[in-house]
């Protein structure tokens, strides 16, 4: 159960990967690039926090790492477990879960960190990252880039997406608004279905700036080793829509 979220794709996880297709394994490929760049050898253990359908871990586990995924939604956990028997999936909250073990790599992908809406939630979540890391563990974060909302950035307030897969055909129109005081982006989405029925959903996301993330990471014992706005992990001025952060645990 999640507060501040109503999302058809969370109620029907089988549609999630179809709505966000990755035909060429884009995210796991980026993660392998980051491991090669920042770790002395490929990770033997990987924890994915807010793992959703478990797609990223399912791919990474094929390289031989022991993989564990955590998600707050029981629907996601049971869907992921049914699809990917070679990975362990557990129901838990990123602000509080403690597995009592550490991992060579800790991931929080696909904006999952942005569900920590307040500074208190963020600090708690960074403590969870630290509790599952040992000296030299690599943390990888993937969030919207708040800097892209500044003048000169690439952010658009309205997006339209046509969707036709898994027996579900709809046009999704997404409107984005901001609560500037809380630094929260609000997405209101309207799905117009084939039979003209409309379904509304919404979500609140905490926006994070690069230097702000670096401060939270530092407080939790992580040193940033790279910040990118592209999946090739090339250095840029960081005004792109995504922010990929790699950080090393000091221990
Ligand atoms: C946008 S999805 C991303 C899923 C996956 N990481 C990916 O990239 O495909 C965000 C996920 O974060 C999970 N989530 C949100 N708040 C959470 C929390 N407090 N603890 C654990 N998982 C959470 C949601 O249930 C959802 O599966």
């Amino acid at each position: 159960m999640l507060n501040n979220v109503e999302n058809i794709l969370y109620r029907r996880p089988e549609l999630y990967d179809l709505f966000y297709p990755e035909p060429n394994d884009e995210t796991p490929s980026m993660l392998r690039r980051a491991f090669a760049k920042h770790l002395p050898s490929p990770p033997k253990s990987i924890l994915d926090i807010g793992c959703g359908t478990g797609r990223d871990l399912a791919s990474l586990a094929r390289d031989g790492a022991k993989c564990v995924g955590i998600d707050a939604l029981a629907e996601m956990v049971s869907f992921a477990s049914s699809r990917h028997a070679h990975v362990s999936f557990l129901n838990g909250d990123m602000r509080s879960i403690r597995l009592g073990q550490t991992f060579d790599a800790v991931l929080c992908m696909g904006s999952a960190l942005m569900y920590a809406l307040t500074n208190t939630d963020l600090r708690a979540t960074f403590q969870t990252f630290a509790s599952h890391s040992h000296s030299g563990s690599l943390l990888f974060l993937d969030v919207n880039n708040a800097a892209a909302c500044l003048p000169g950035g690439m952010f658009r307030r309205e997006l339209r997406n046509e969707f036709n897969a898994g027996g579900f055909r709809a046009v999704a129109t997404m409107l984005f608004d901001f609560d500037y005081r809380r630094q929260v982006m609000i997405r209101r989405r309207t799905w117009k279905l084939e039979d003209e029925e409309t379904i509304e959903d919404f979500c609140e996301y905490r926006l994070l700036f690069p230097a702000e993330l670096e401060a939270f990471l530092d407080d939790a014992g992580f040193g940033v080793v790279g910040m990118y706005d592209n999946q090739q992990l090339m250095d840029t001025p960081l005004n792109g829509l995504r922010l990929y952060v790699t950080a090393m645990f000091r221990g």
Side-chain angles (χ1 to χ4, degrees), residues 1-250:
M1 172 70 186
L2 292 175
N3 295 324
N4 306 76
V5 184
E6 179 56 43
N7 189 337
I8 295 182
L9 303 176
Y10 289 174
R11 273 186 276 132
R12 297 187 53 188
E14 78 282 4
L15 295 178
Y16 184 92
D17 289 343
L18 299 171
F19 192 73
Y20 298 107
E22 291 219 341
N24 301 307
D25 225 18
E26 284 83 352
T27 299
S29 302
M30 167 180 65
L31 289 165
R32 289 187 184 98
R33 224 168 272 135
F35 299 155
K37 193 168 176 153
H38 298 298
L39 286 174
S41 55
K44 294 192 175 65
S45 55
I46 303 175
L47 175 65
D48 187 3
I49 298 181
C51 62
T53 60
R55 173 169 65 178
D56 296 337
L57 282 184
S59 172
L60 293 171
R62 288 198 283 273
D63 301 342
K66 178 190 143 213
C67 292
V68 179
I70 304 285
D71 203 279
L73 285 179
E75 294 91 328
M76 283 293 187
V77 171
S78 61
F79 177 81
S81 304
S82 70
R83 287 288 166 103
H84 312 299
H86 59 306
V87 176
S88 305
F89 294 100
L90 302 164
N91 198 199
D93 192 307
M94 63 185 176
R95 294 165 296 183
S96 54
I97 190 151
R98 295 293 180 268
L99 299 178
Q101 53 185 306
T102 62
F103 295 79
D104 294 342
V106 177
L107 317 175
C108 192
M109 308 299 293
S111 306
L113 180 62
M114 299 171 74
Y115 289 78
L117 293 177
T118 64
N119 289 347
T120 304
D121 287 345
L122 280 166
R123 275 188 214 102
T125 303
F126 281 102
Q127 279 312 314
T128 298
F129 298 154
S131 297
H132 296 92
S133 300
H134 50 73
S135 175
S137 292
L138 188 72
L139 173 66
F140 195 108
L141 306 177
D142 162 18
V143 294
N144 277 54
N145 182 8
C149 303
L150 298 172
M154 295 178 183
F155 183 76
R156 285 174 49 207
R157 277 188 181 252
E158 185 170 344
L159 288 176
R160 192 172 173 278
N161 217 316
E162 286 186 27
F163 182 65
N164 182 6
F168 184 77
R169 191 168 168 181
V171 176
T173 307
M174 289 164 274
L175 291 173
F176 296 92
D177 209 346
F178 296 99
D179 178 332
Y180 294 100
R181 174 65 183 90
R182 291 191 298 140
Q183 215 171 294
V184 163
M185 177 171 78
I186 301 142
R187 184 191 69 201
R188 293 188 180 84
R189 183 166 54 186
T190 305
W191 300 84
K192 194 158 189 167
L193 311 188
E194 269 182 293
D195 61 3
E196 298 296 307
E197 187 196 344
T198 57
I199 303 176
E200 314 261 331
D201 63 17
F202 75 96
C203 188
E204 292 193 336
Y205 297 102
R206 170 64 184 258
L207 281 172
L208 293 154
F209 286 91
E212 180 185 25
L213 265 179
E214 187 158 24
F216 276 107
L217 284 164
D218 187 47
D219 286 349
F222 291 91
V224 169
V225 292
M227 283 203 183
Y228 314 95
D229 65 2
N230 60 89
Q231 293 192 323
Q232 299 312 309
L233 308 183
M234 291 182 306
D235 291 321
T236 66
L238 283 190
N239 63 343
L241 288 175
R242 302 296 310 169
L243 183 61
Y244 304 109
V245 179
T246 48
M248 193 73 76
F249 192 57
R250 290 190 289 268

